[in-house]
């Protein structure tokens, strides 16, 4: 049976998300990312293209790893300026009916009570179309923006995240009973006070009284996305994530990542297939193979190697600090800090080859250039090789990259039974997890249902 | 010369903002406050009515002072459920062109770096139509939702607020030079790194590195609103506020408040007229006096005295705990906690009279019932008696209270030269302060302009 694949449009409320230097391309509108018009158009476009969701990445600081300064990131517009992603969702929701919105928010720096309220507000305003990409944040500058002298150690960040989620589950799942809101005009009961509960959480990192300020939204807990790759991160994802974003420089490495995620879910007592696994996808497509290759060359003419180096060095090695014939996977042993920047280059890549690869937007394990049929072929192959459930489509320029995908690749995938032809679900969780609107009973968040109810 | 008055539409992202029990009125749409449709309609309505701004109040906890429990507040829907106000602004901005949006946010519980980014994002998205109502939060439950065992003492809250604002001014005014963003496609310079500065703030309460994640928005610092009434609050408002909301149970008391604010501004070295002073206004109006009185009676039939008691006891005395012939102003000496709940009753009011007054939506110093002309007469009188610059119009039902004001009172005030007949300004600050788009040079925030620039 042909398996349908899931596609999110990958974006960020910044000009230079993943395509560095491309802000200079004459056909891009990404210098308008500070306007509502840009985002309402983008949301309409994504819904026209029947994407599962618009997935908004985020960081809370600037990239300063490259040559020990933020100067290149600032000059090249590498994810700076960078606006608050949550604030774009309501305006985009107002012009769409089905599209999901996955927002990235960190568990490391802001109080859970306030975030619980924001997420519940968004879930109400979107009628249950919100997902949350849970991150613990990794940029040293982010830590220094929030009162820390340096990054919170990785293990501790995950301990905080674990307790943070517990607080949220208590607020989202346990604080208000399903029938708490009455709107009983005759009896004068807006909500039944016996069914609205304090949570009185008191843990190592947080103390939160409650009750939650917001009544139950369609999904209560937003759909949970995660991207942990370390053993700690993987275990965390296995426990909590309903969708996981995996990295990897080859299909084989990604396939291992997919298996590892499913095993982690199983170890946490959950259905391994209940976790949907996504990877990043880059596409340059046109009506013909030559036209697509020509388009790629025209895009690559604007690619900024300095911009990519600044981005890569945010969570990995400053490649220019090493000899060209050194293997990238050895740099860690040589004392280079970070980890996120390493896994974009296949094993055996030398520093020189790695730098050279940054001269093109065609990076990563899953990049396809060609006609719609050729791109669809690649996507089907990669899905078969890896067991991936879907992809996050990155953009080189906007709206071009999206429009091209919708015009050339989507119809091809639809004809092969790989892509939806209309929206069928009511809330995002039904689309992602196949059931809903609430968390599955086997999910750890579900144990707080009724946990504070009077017995 | 006839002085034009300013009017904000006073609201809150909750059903029962200031009119308790009125959610049961058959003509109100306030049970829909969790939807985008309610707020986009409300914003359109406010812009049709040429209001200066939609002013959104907020609290971060539930009212539990009345009889020592939150039960009444929950049952009566007294500001609970209560959604995040910032998230409504983008959707409302998308359907309006001129209306301002004043959002309430607290300086006591969330990190300044994140709020700076949110406010700057909103100022970009609205093209400079955002104001911030600076509060330090007063509900004990709010403190317990954010990790504290009890409320932070009043004086300390203001010390934190002072430093919080300093951090924000550094980020908003100083971190990016005016000409930092270049968008120079030929030269490949998105922003000039020499003009984007860390702030490296290190104070008693906050340590924030920067740079600000957001490039300069039209107003940089949003228009600053405040409502401090204590000596500490007054001095704070005198230093920082561009608009102040004053309370008071009689025109005479409000007039003293207006003078006190202007003196505080003067003592802070600012133009006393540069601070605009607002008070709450309630209006029930119709095409004739009898029709308006009839409408008031129909509204009062739904007023919930229990709801009002729960609200009043949130920041003042639980009136039912005292003898009916006791004077309200004496309760503080008798050990009743809080302060905000006292000043709604005129001096000499007994507990019995105070409770009785809660049987009507017609509360407070400035409540007018009658034809448009009669209401306009009252408003002109009150403005003359107090020196107020304007009013925040509260609502009993939505959209009725707003529609009636627009239909009957606005044309009357326009005919008298008291109300704008069209929008003229580009950004909110120009409307409020008469100049802009940036902070006045005499404002303490202005001293951080260029403070981090290379010399």
């Amino acid at each position: 049976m042909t398996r349908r694949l899931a596609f999110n449009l990958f974006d960020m409320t910044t000009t230079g998300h993943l395509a560095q230097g491309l802000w200079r391309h004459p056909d891009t509108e990404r210098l308008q990312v500070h306007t509502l018009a840009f985002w309402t158009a983008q949301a309409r476009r994504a819904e026209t293209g029947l994407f599962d969701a618009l997935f908004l990445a985020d960081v809370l600081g600037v990239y300063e790893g490259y040559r020990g300064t933020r100067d290149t990131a600032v000059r090249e517009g590498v994810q700076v300026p960078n606006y608050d992603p949550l604030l774009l969702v309501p305006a985009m929701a107002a012009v769409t009916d089905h599209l999901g919105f996955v927002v990235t928010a960190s568990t490391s720096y802001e109080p859970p009570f306030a975030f619980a309220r924001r997420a519940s507000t968004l879930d109400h305003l979107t009628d249950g179309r919100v997902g949350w990409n849970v991150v613990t944040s990794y940029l040293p500058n982010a830590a220094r923006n929030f009162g820390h002298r340096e990054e919170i150690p990785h293990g501790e960040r995950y301990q905080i995240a674990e307790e943070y989620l517990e607080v949220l589950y208590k607020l989202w799942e346990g604080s208000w009973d399903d029938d708490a809101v009455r709107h009983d005009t005759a009896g004068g009961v807006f909500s039944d006070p016996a069914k609205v509960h304090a949570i009185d959480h008191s843990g190592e990192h947080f103390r939160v009284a409650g009750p939650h300020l917001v009544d139950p939204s369609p999904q209560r807990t937003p759909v949970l996305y995660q991207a942990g790759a370390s053993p700690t991160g993987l275990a965390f994802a296995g426990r909590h994530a309903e969708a996981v974003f995996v990295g990897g420089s080859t299909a084989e490495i990604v396939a291992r990542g997919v298996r590892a995620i499913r095993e982690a879910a199983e170890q946490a007592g959950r259905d391994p297939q209940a976790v949907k696994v996504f990877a990043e996808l880059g596409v340059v497509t046109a009506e013909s193979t030559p036209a697509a290759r020509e388009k790629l060359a025209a895009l690559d003419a604007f690619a900024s190697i300095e911009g990519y180096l600044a981005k890569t060095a945010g969570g990995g090695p400053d490649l220019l600090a090493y000899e060209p014939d050194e293997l990238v996977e050895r740099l860690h042993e040589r004392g280079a800090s970070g980890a996120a920047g390493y896994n974009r280059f296949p094993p055996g890549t030398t520093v020189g080859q790695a730098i050279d690869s940054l001269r093109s937007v065609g990076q990563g394990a899953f990049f396809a250039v060609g006609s719609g049929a050729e791109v669809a072929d690649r996507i089907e192959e990669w899905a078969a090789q890896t067991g991936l459930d879907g992809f996050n489509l990155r953009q080189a320029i906007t709206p071009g990259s999206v429009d091209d995908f919708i015009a050339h690749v989507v119809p091809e995938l639809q004809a092969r039974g790989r892509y939806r032809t209309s929206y069928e679900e009511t809330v995002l969780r039904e689309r992602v997890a196949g059931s809903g609107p609430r968390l599955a009973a086997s999910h750890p968040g579900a144990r707080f249902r009724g946990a504070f109810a009077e017995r």
Side-chain angles (χ1 to χ4, degrees), chain A:
Chain A
M1 195 190 99
T2 306
R3 193 164 56 98
R4 195 194 278 175
L5 299 170
F7 289 85
N8 297 312
L9 181 55
F10 202 14
D11 211 326
M12 183 168 173
T13 44
T14 191
T15 295
H17 175 206
L18 294 169
Q20 304 313 330
L22 270 293
W23 61 270
R24 299 171 298 165
H25 195 289
D27 294 340
T28 194
E29 296 174 2
R30 293 199 69 86
L31 292 178
Q32 299 304 312
V33 290
H34 62 293
T35 66
L36 285 168
F38 177 91
W39 291 103
T40 51
Q42 184 77 318
R44 284 198 179 99
R45 196 175 288 132
E47 186 159 281
T48 302
L50 299 170
F51 282 89
D52 282 45
L54 183 65
F55 187 113
L56 292 170
D58 196 30
V59 290
L60 295 171
V62 293
Y63 291 83
E64 55 190 4
Y66 181 59
R67 302 190 158 176
T69 154
R70 66 176 172 270
D71 285 1
T72 304
V74 169
R75 186 183 311 107
E76 301 280 338
V78 179
Q79 304 190 354
V80 60
N82 170 17
Y83 309 93
D84 187 281
L86 273 70
L87 291 167
L88 274 311
V89 172
M92 295 194 290
V95 299
T96 53
D97 294 314
H98 305 283
L99 184 68
F101 301 98
V102 183
V103 290
T104 299
S106 172
T107 54
S108 293
Y109 305 124
E110 294 196 80
F113 187 81
F115 179 71
R117 184 188 185 205
R118 290 188 181 106
S120 293
T121 299
L122 285 180
D123 203 49
H124 272 295
L125 295 179
T126 62
D127 285 323
R129 293 191 275 148
V130 166
W132 171 31
N133 179 34
V134 186
V135 300
T136 66
S137 299
Y138 72 104
L139 294 177
N141 179 242
R144 288 185 284 109
N145 287 332
F146 288 90
H148 302 271
R149 293 199 186 275
E150 53 190 33
E151 284 185 272
I152 305 168
H154 183 266
E156 192 184 338
R157 289 211 304 273
Y158 273 97
Q159 285 167 15
I160 294 170
E162 195 70 39
E163 189 182 333
Y164 193 99
L165 279 176
E166 185 181 326
V167 171
L168 294 180
Y169 295 147
K170 287 176 176 174
L171 291 168
W172 286 333
E173 300 289 330
S175 183
W176 291 62
D177 296 352
D178 279 335
D179 55 351
V181 175
R182 295 272 300 279
H183 291 181
D184 171 2
T185 50
V189 180
F190 190 104
S191 305
D192 181 348
K195 297 182 173 180
V196 179
H197 316 287
I199 66 163
D200 288 325
H201 176 89
S202 182
E204 196 175 335
H205 303 284
F206 303 109
R207 201 160 53 218
V208 181
H212 191 28
L213 285 184
V214 180
D215 53 311
S217 64
Q219 301 184 119
R220 284 186 178 253
T221 298
V223 183
L224 297 171
Y225 292 69
Q226 225 262 329
S230 66
T232 314
L234 212 52
F236 182 89
R239 276 194 298 280
H240 301 285
E242 301 175 85
V244 174
F245 185 70
V246 295
S249 54
T250 67
E252 198 174 280
I253 293 171
V254 169
R256 282 205 295 273
V258 174
R259 285 195 298 272
I261 289 288
R262 302 212 192 282
E263 280 165 24
E266 197 158 22
Q267 276 164 25
R270 299 169 63 205
D271 174 4
Q273 299 304 321
V275 183
K276 302 304 174 203
V277 193
F278 291 79
E280 188 181 316
L281 171 70
V283 166
V284 174
T285 185
E287 58 285 358
S288 70
T289 313
R293 297 207 166 269
E294 202 173 300
K295 195 174 280 183
L296 175 59
L299 292 168
D300 285 350
F302 292 96
S304 163
I305 193 163
E306 287 269 311
Y308 280 114
L309 285 166
K311 171 68 175 61
T312 305
D318 175 359
L319 292 169
L320 291 197
Y322 298 89
E323 293 299 320
D325 57 355
E326 188 126 26
L327 287 175
V328 173
E329 66 256 41
R330 295 271 169 79
L331 300 188
H332 197 57
E333 303 160 21
R334 295 279 314 278
S337 68
Y342 290 88
N343 69 4
R344 53 190 303 126
F345 306 110
T349 306
T350 65
V351 165
Q353 289 167 333
I355 293 172
D356 205 50
S357 75
L358 301 178
R359 295 182 199 282
S360 170
V361 302
Q363 302 172 23
F366 306 130
F367 174 75
V369 55
S371 67
E374 289 170 316
V375 172
D377 285 348
R378 293 293 87 66
I379 288 171
E380 288 196 285
E381 272 171 38
W382 293 328
Q385 287 167 5
T386 58
L388 280 168
D389 297 296
F391 297 90
N392 274 10
L393 180 74
R394 72 169 184 261
Q395 301 159 72
I397 56 171
T398 305
S401 300
V402 197
D403 287 346
D404 288 347
F405 184 82
I406 295 171
H408 303 293
V409 182
V410 169
E412 210 36 68
L413 290 170
Q414 284 173 329
R416 303 177 189 193
R418 295 296 200 177
Y419 203 101
R420 75 168 52 76
T421 52
S422 67
Y423 287 112
E424 286 149 21
E425 314 83 2
T426 305
V427 302
L428 180 59
R429 176 164 287 114
E430 289 167 358
R431 188 172 304 153
V432 175
S435 65
R438 301 285 163 83
L439 280 175
S442 60
H443 191 281
R447 75 180 185 277
F448 295 105
R449 286 180 192 151
F452 307 102
E454 285 164 32
R455 271 160 276 251

